[in-house]
Amino acid sequence: MTEYRLLDLVDSQDFRTLFIDELGWGNPDHPDLKLEVDDRKYVFKQVAGYMGLRIWHCPVLPPRKVQRVLDELVGKDSHERLIIFTDEQHQDWRWPRRSQLGSTNAKLLAHEYIVGDRSTHLSQRLQAIELDFDEELHLVELLNRMRDAFDKEAETASVQAARLMSALYGELEASGIEDHDATLLLARLLFLFFGDDAEMKGWETGLFQSFIRDRTTENTLHNDLQALFHVLRTSPNTRKLPVGSPFDRFRYINGGLYEESINISPLTSAFRNYLLEACEFDWTIISPAVFGSMFQTVKSKEARRHGGEHYTTEENILKTIRPLFLDEYTERLEDAWDDKAKLTKLHNELGRLLFLDPACGCGNFLIVAYRELRALELEILKRRRDLDIIDNTDIKISGVDRAQLSFDVTGDIKVTLDHFFGIEIEEWPARIAETAMLLVDHLANQRMAQEFGYAPDRLPIKIAPTIHHANALRLDWNDVVEASDDVVILGNPPFVGGRTKDDEQKYDMQEIWGGQYIGDLDYVTCWYVKAVKYYGKLRGRWAFVSTNSICQGIPVPNLWRPILEAGWRCRFAHRSFQWETEAPGGAAVHVSIVGFDRSKTSPKPVLWTYPEGGRGEGLGTSVSRINPYLIEGPNLLVESRLRPFNSKFEQVNYANKPSDGGNLVVTEEEYEEIVQDPIAAKYLRKFIGAKELLHDLDRWCLWIDDNDDLEDLNRSPILAERMAGVKDMRNASKAASTRAKAGTPYKFGQIQQPSTDYLAIPKTVSTLRRFLPVAYLSPDIIASDKVYTVPDPDGFLLGVFSSTMFIVWMKTIGGRLKSDVSFSNKLTYNTFPMPIITSSQRQSIIDAASLIVGARKAHRGLSLARMYDPLAMPSDLLAAHDEVDRVIDKIFGRVDVRDEADRQKVLFRNYAILTKQEFLL
């Protein structure tokens, strides 16, 4: 079978042969469907099927809005379906995209195909749903294949929608409309776009589009929109409209969305053109969960970076809400399936839950949480209906599809928008959050109507979420929603590191942390402190997506101690992984997701681990306890130390920092110029940082001290110019300590250069490396501040640093740069819990380390990076490291260290002994 063979069958509309003979599907099992829409008749022929999933062909290509109506009608007989509409030259393959729970976002996606097009992806989609003749595939598996094959259009649609919104925003800027008014205007337009397409109860399909097309001009549009908004916020009882007014067909909306008056100056002709284009777009294709990311495209990348914003995929939101509450309630539904009393109890509990996202952005977390809970509630109501039917002997159900019986359960809805609360510092996303929540509520109500025949009428809007436009760190969260055991806190607060906080954020840190403010803590930690204070002694549960710094390095004790002391346990955690964002140009970050509750035993904590580097699928495992470093183990906190635990360890030093504005450092391009100046050349030294050490790269510096002839600084124009540059840079510094060094511009800002041969330790290495690559340098090679230095005359410390035990300790408790592992003299080295060793044990380490030195000499042509390639280490070097591990593992005792988790247990046990902390596995 070739892809052209498949497409030839598509072109000829021989879908029966395509699906049955080529793709291995089954024969049709349903007669033709004859349907009528707008006085036109359509015939649908089933061409193939598999376990209830039917493929339908309609040899007519109606407008897409008619296609959606027809799909609803086909759906009454065929819940799972793929419909192909065709004419002679064009085809629309339409697949109903659904969320994983309850199908609350069941909307057709259009996959357009032009006959004869061989550049299409349709053939790959078809191959993805091919069934082998002996393959016994469950329906769920096939549906997953269909989603993978046919749901991609939503991504393309999101990009198109984002471009439309950006274009509209740009034209509003060109019209001189203030940002606040532009924010409100676009939020209102979004609601109207959605109303046109989503079959909102009492709303005519295409009503807003026909109003813009037929009743406005580019000159009157601004006034026409103002008039429309006035009507939308006016109750029908007080409206005073002339007979035949175009506004009379619009329903009363209110709910705050249209309440405030805004100023709209005359709009550009391009704005009206983009508005009409947006009206043509099918907004129901896009899930409200991605609206936030879509709308952020009107903001600059710099603004997102400044605010620490990282917009979230649905997949990552589900990583948070499933273990926080959704998995628990889903399991309880399964347990209560045949027990009406349990179902009622579960439903009542869902109705008591309140949700707060105190950094809600455009509401993605609240939207997905609401969608999934409404879907769960729908399953409860459906099951209660079925049990009631079974118990009610007065109802004869023989030959009747229960799903087609009409029951008005709108009064039984307990999961409502007014149970959802958000706080957002920026007005723009706050407005979008409000709007998107209204839209996802409509989708949930549509799904209810499909199941029960009734849905609540949400217009005018009376039930809405509460989104506060405020700084969450300066607001009492009780003023938003009063704390109780039923409040669930969740979200993705902003990530801003110690060096990038602005003055306002630093002020927030000081206010939240008080006298305990620590500059190393990320801004996100403020939300942890607020959550702990908010709940007080209440039970509650909460989870945040955070930068991985909250469970790595120096900040861990400062953040986790008050959490643990307040009685919270880690309910679940996703270890560091690479964060994917739906916002174009989003920053690449590595995050952890951590959830807390005050339960002692249930549910059992679940820990997700990811491949090194944080990419790929996570593996969830039930564990006894998750500690602050997000491993299974005791709640120990590793504190920095000024001296090593082990008296045999030499002091590791921070190296040399230029603080020079680049004037004391010589690049490869500048090298020849310096060498040709005989005075400047006298002071040229090799300058080695982590990059140069690992990759054997050349870099130099000018190294001058007080014992040198300082008159040379004036004799050499090159030196004179560079010294002036250093002096200017230091004088302009905000740091008083840097300005104080402007008088000695020839010297590095910080100097700790060894006077003997020394071991250089890279400050940061890839987490993929099996061992920490360190190397010896001579004292005439200047170490930069990207490495640490330590004397090691006999090779003892080379052996320690080269052990698996040491790099596991680094990876477990050390800081990270993205996913790269960071070495720290005070944290990872001074705290390394190696037992006290005897002279003979020390000699064994030295002897094993000499094997590493010998193996490296055999590969002189390779850089350290090449020698320590995790996929291609030379066998003799690997054998030398194995010998080092054998010796050092034995020093840690008779322990089984088959994997990293075993080593972590050993290391924490030793650390607990050395610090006299209680150790509980």
Side-chain angles (χ1 to χ4, degrees):
M1 177 183 67
T2 67
E3 61 177 290
Y4 285 176
R5 164 65 175 161
L6 297 180
L7 294 179
D8 288 342
L9 292 171
V10 172
D11 290 348
S12 64
Q13 300 186 20
D14 189 356
F15 299 115
R16 184 182 178 90
T17 300
L18 171 68
F19 278 93
I20 296 175
D21 296 346
E22 298 292 349
L23 300 180
W25 286 56
N27 288 311
D29 62 354
H30 198 288
D32 292 355
L33 294 174
K34 297 180 180 180
L35 305 173
E36 184 173 326
V37 174
D38 295 336
D39 298 326
R40 180 167 183 178
K41 296 180 180 179
Y42 300 87
V43 177
F44 290 79
K45 180 179 291 293
Q46 188 195 357
V47 297
Y50 183 84
M51 296 185 69
L53 197 165
R54 298 186 177 105
I55 312 295
W56 295 93
H57 175 218
C58 176
V60 179
L61 188 64
R64 288 187 174 175
K65 290 185 179 180
V66 175
Q67 290 180 25
R68 290 204 304 274
V69 175
L70 289 167
D71 172 73
E72 291 290 334
L73 296 174
V74 173
K76 293 181 178 180
D77 289 279
S78 185
H79 183 64
E80 301 295 349
R81 60 202 178 274
L82 171 66
I83 302 177
I84 308 170
F85 295 95
T86 66
D87 63 17
E88 293 183 359
Q89 292 299 320
H90 297 83
Q91 300 178 10
D92 277 351
W93 292 53
R94 310 213 54 147
W95 162 253
R97 179 177 183 263
R98 291 179 171 83
S99 64
Q100 294 182 349
L101 286 175
S103 304
T104 59
N105 187 29
K107 286 296 162 187
L108 282 178
L109 294 181
H111 306 263
E112 184 177 12
Y113 174 71
I114 300 174
V115 173
D117 184 3
R118 291 302 180 261
S119 64
T120 179
H121 295 292
L122 181 58
S123 60
Q124 289 94 320
R125 293 192 179 104
L126 292 172
Q127 290 175 43
I129 58 174
E130 179 185 5
L131 305 177
D132 292 337
F133 75 93
D134 60 347
E135 188 174 19
E136 294 184 6
L137 199 66
H138 294 295
L139 178 60
V140 172
E141 295 176 76
L142 179 59
L143 289 174
N144 286 334
R145 287 193 188 182
M146 293 292 283
R147 290 188 183 99
D148 290 341
F150 285 96
D151 280 0
K152 298 300 182 184
E153 255 68 15
E155 298 175 9
T156 304
S158 295
V159 173
Q160 183 181 350
R163 288 173 180 164
L164 285 170
M165 298 312 300
S166 295
L168 289 170
Y169 185 83
E171 294 304 317
L172 291 178
E173 283 188 316
S175 300
I177 294 179
E178 295 293 331
D179 190 62
H180 169 78
D181 293 332
T183 296
L184 275 175
L185 175 56
L186 289 184
R188 292 173 180 182
L189 292 176
L190 174 61
F191 187 87
L192 293 169
F193 295 152
F194 200 89
D196 266 12
D197 292 336
E199 300 171 3
M200 199 175 294
K201 193 169 184 178
W203 191 278
E204 299 176 30
T205 300
L207 176 61
F208 178 64
Q209 179 181 11
S210 62
F211 171 75
I212 295 298
R213 183 186 62 236
D214 303 331
R215 298 287 187 167
T216 72
T217 68
E218 62 183 68
N219 295 324
T220 66
L221 179 59
H222 62 296
N223 290 326
D224 296 330
L225 288 174
Q226 289 277 35
L228 174 61
F229 296 159
H230 176 76
V231 169
L232 295 176
R233 65 172 174 265
T234 304
S235 169
N237 297 329
T238 58
R239 285 183 183 178
K240 297 179 180 179
L241 297 174
V243 176
S245 169
F247 299 121
D248 195 43
R249 295 158 63 195
F250 286 92
R251 289 200 62 183
Y252 173 42
I253 294 176
N254 196 20
L257 186 58
Y258 293 89
E259 184 175 355
E260 181 182 344
S261 295
I262 59 176
N263 294 316
I264 308 177
S265 55
L267 298 163
T268 65
S269 59
F271 182 87
R272 187 173 183 275
N273 292 334
Y274 285 128
L275 186 57
L276 286 169
E277 186 178 348
C279 288
E280 288 289 340
F281 183 77
D282 184 356
W283 291 88
T284 60
I285 293 176
I286 304 170
S287 164
V290 305
F291 280 164
S293 305
M294 180 186 74
F295 267 74
Q296 290 305 328
T297 59
V298 304
K299 298 175 64 180
S300 67
K301 181 178 180 180
E302 290 72 21
R304 288 196 304 275
R305 170 71 75 176
H306 175 75
E309 301 161 355
H310 302 280
Y311 298 98
T312 320
T313 64
E314 282 195 45
E315 178 186 2
N316 285 332
I317 293 171
L318 290 169
K319 286 178 182 177
T320 305
I321 69 173
R322 280 176 176 157
L324 183 61
F325 61 87
L326 193 59
D327 287 346
E328 175 186 338
Y329 289 114
T330 302
E331 290 170 8
R332 288 181 56 187
L333 173 59
E334 294 174 1
D335 178 65
W337 194 248
D338 294 317
D339 189 322
K340 287 198 288 186
K342 285 185 176 180
L343 287 171
T344 299
K345 181 180 179 181
L346 174 60
H347 194 192
N348 288 335
E349 284 192 31
L350 292 183
R352 289 197 300 270
L353 291 176
L354 303 169
F355 293 86
L356 170 64
D357 184 344
C360 70
C362 290
N364 294 20
F365 277 81
L366 296 175
I367 289 165
V368 175
Y370 181 73
R371 184 193 72 192
E372 297 300 311
L373 284 169
R374 281 293 304 271
L376 191 64
E377 180 181 45
L378 182 60
E379 292 301 314
I380 293 172
L381 293 172
K382 287 164 57 180
R383 185 56 182 166
R384 279 298 309 262
R385 174 196 62 192
D386 290 349
L387 292 177
D388 286 344
I389 291 174
I390 292 170
D391 291 345
N392 191 339
T393 57
D394 293 333
I395 298 179
K396 306 300 182 182
I397 62 173
S398 176
V400 177
D401 183 353
R402 293 173 184 165
Q404 293 181 357
L405 295 173
S406 292
F407 294 84
D408 188 357
V409 295
T410 57
D412 297 329
I413 298 174
K414 297 181 184 294
V415 179
T416 53
L417 287 175
D418 54 351
H419 287 198
F420 288 75
F421 303 82
I423 308 172
E424 170 54 37
I425 194 169
E426 294 186 30
E427 182 184 21
W428 174 256
R431 292 291 185 180
I432 301 309
E434 293 171 344
T435 307
M437 287 292 284
L438 295 172
L439 303 187
V440 78
D441 178 61
H442 172 67
L443 292 175
N445 293 334
Q446 277 189 315
R447 179 62 178 141
M448 173 170 279
Q450 291 174 6
E451 293 292 340
F452 289 95
Y454 292 92
D457 185 355
R458 295 303 198 198
L459 296 180
I461 298 169
K462 296 178 181 178
I463 302 175
T466 300
I467 308 296
H468 277 252
H469 172 211
N471 183 338
L473 301 182
R474 303 180 191 180
L475 179 69
D476 184 347
W477 295 358
N478 281 284
D479 292 340
V480 179
V481 54
E482 186 175 352
S484 74
D485 292 341
D486 296 320
V487 176
V488 179
I489 295 176
L490 71 172
N492 175 19
F495 313 158
V496 186
R499 295 181 180 179
T500 55
K501 299 185 193 86
D502 62 24
D503 290 340
E504 289 291 308
Q505 292 162 341
K506 289 176 182 177
Y507 174 83
D508 290 337
M509 292 286 290
Q510 291 282 5
E511 290 296 302
I512 296 297
W513 283 97
Q516 302 177 67
Y517 168 73
I518 305 297
D520 290 322
L521 289 169
D522 192 283
Y523 190 51
V524 73
T525 60
C526 294
W527 276 260
Y528 285 75
V529 177
K530 290 277 284 189
V532 171
K533 291 181 179 178
Y534 171 78
Y535 281 114
K537 296 186 179 300
L538 296 169
R539 293 177 65 83
R541 62 180 80 177
W542 51 289
F544 291 133
V545 179
S546 306
T547 172
N548 58 10
S549 67
I550 62 116
C551 54
Q552 297 166 350
I554 292 173
V556 173
N558 299 306
L559 173 61
W560 281 77
R561 183 173 285 108
I563 296 174
L564 298 175
E565 289 178 349
W568 296 96
R569 67 147 188 171
C570 185
R571 176 188 177 98
F572 73 93
H574 289 264
R575 296 203 72 193
S576 182
F577 65 95
Q578 187 163 306
W579 187 244
E580 295 181 357
T581 171
E582 289 178 339
V589 292
H590 287 74
V591 305
S592 296
I593 305 176
V594 187
F596 298 91
D597 65 21
R598 278 190 161 127
S599 173
K600 299 298 182 183
T601 57
S602 179
K604 197 171 183 181
V606 179
L607 177 63
W608 278 266
T609 56
Y610 291 80
E612 290 290 357
R615 296 180 179 178
E617 292 296 318
L619 175 64
T621 307
S622 293
V623 296
S624 59
R625 182 190 287 110
I626 301 172
N627 81 0
Y629 299 94
L630 304 191
I631 65 169
E632 182 178 14
N635 285 325
L636 296 178
L637 298 170
V638 180
E639 305 272 7
S640 296
R641 292 175 53 85
L642 296 178
R643 302 286 305 177
F645 275 130
N646 198 308
S647 60
K648 303 293 185 182
F649 284 12
E650 295 286 344
Q651 191 79 17
V652 168
N653 296 309
Y654 191 74
N656 307 286
K657 187 173 183 178
S659 300
D660 66 329
N663 291 285
L664 296 177
V665 178
V666 178
T667 65
E668 191 170 359
E669 293 76 18
E670 298 166 332
Y671 178 77
E672 285 301 322
E673 180 187 19
I674 301 295
V675 168
Q676 290 175 11
D677 182 332
I679 298 175
K682 294 191 301 181
Y683 303 106
L684 201 60
R685 300 286 185 275
K686 272 208 161 188
F687 188 49
I688 299 296
K691 187 176 182 180
E692 293 76 29
L693 182 74
L694 295 175
H695 297 277
D696 198 20
L697 302 176
D698 288 330
R699 193 163 65 136
W700 300 265
C701 69
L702 295 167
W703 188 257
I704 305 168
D705 62 34
D706 292 332
N707 296 321
D708 290 315
D709 185 355
L710 300 184
E711 288 300 319
D712 282 347
L713 302 180
N714 298 318
R715 297 186 187 110
S716 166
I718 290 177
L719 292 181
E721 181 182 0
R722 286 180 174 252
M723 295 308 111
V726 176
K727 189 172 184 177
D728 290 344
M729 173 267 169
R730 292 179 181 175
N731 278 326
S733 174
K734 293 182 180 180
S737 58
T738 301
R739 293 196 302 272
K741 295 169 183 174
T744 54
Y746 53 90
K747 295 171 66 174
F748 271 43
Q750 181 172 324
I751 299 175
Q752 291 196 80
Q753 177 64 15
S755 58
T756 62
D757 287 353
Y758 61 93
L759 198 60
I761 309 134
K763 198 171 182 179
T764 304
V765 295
S766 168
T767 189
L768 300 176
R769 297 204 184 279
R770 290 187 56 185
F771 306 100
L772 176 63
V774 298
Y776 290 109
L777 299 177
S778 58
D780 61 317
I781 297 177
I782 307 304
S784 88
D785 58 332
K786 300 301 182 184
V787 296
Y788 287 86
T789 69
V790 63
D792 185 35
D794 56 9
F796 167 66
L797 288 179
L798 171 64
V800 172
F801 288 134
S802 299
S803 68
T804 301
M805 277 293 191
F806 189 82
I807 200 165
V808 166
W809 184 246
M810 274 183 62
K811 290 179 177 180
T812 301
I813 62 99
R816 300 265 177 150
L817 180 63
K818 295 183 181 179
S819 66
D820 292 341
V821 190
S822 296
F823 175 90
S824 164
N825 57 348
K826 295 178 181 178
L827 182 62
T828 56
Y829 174 70
N830 289 352
T831 64
F832 183 56
M834 187 169 173
I836 303 299
I837 60 174
T838 65
S839 298
S840 62
Q841 287 173 324
R842 177 187 173 91
Q843 188 58 50
S844 297
I845 294 173
I846 294 169
D847 293 342
S850 69
L851 299 177
I852 292 176
V853 175
R856 288 184 184 179
K857 287 180 178 178
H859 303 280
R860 287 186 184 275
L862 297 180
S863 65
L864 279 178
R866 290 284 303 279
M867 278 191 276
Y868 284 87
D869 183 333
L871 300 178
M873 278 186 67
S875 58
D876 54 346
L877 181 58
L878 186 58
H881 277 276
D882 287 342
E883 178 60 18
V884 168
D885 281 344
R886 187 190 67 79
V887 172
I888 290 185
D889 290 350
K890 186 176 180 181
I891 290 172
F892 274 89
R894 294 183 177 276
V895 293
D896 187 356
V897 287
R898 290 171 295 179
D899 57 25
E900 185 173 283
D902 291 333
R903 292 185 184 276
Q904 288 168 337
K905 290 179 182 179
V906 172
L907 289 161
F908 273 114
R909 180 181 290 113
N910 275 34
Y911 184 82
I913 293 170
L914 290 170
T915 58
K916 296 182 174 57
Q917 295 186 55
E918 182 181 0
F919 183 86
L920 297 173
L921 280 177

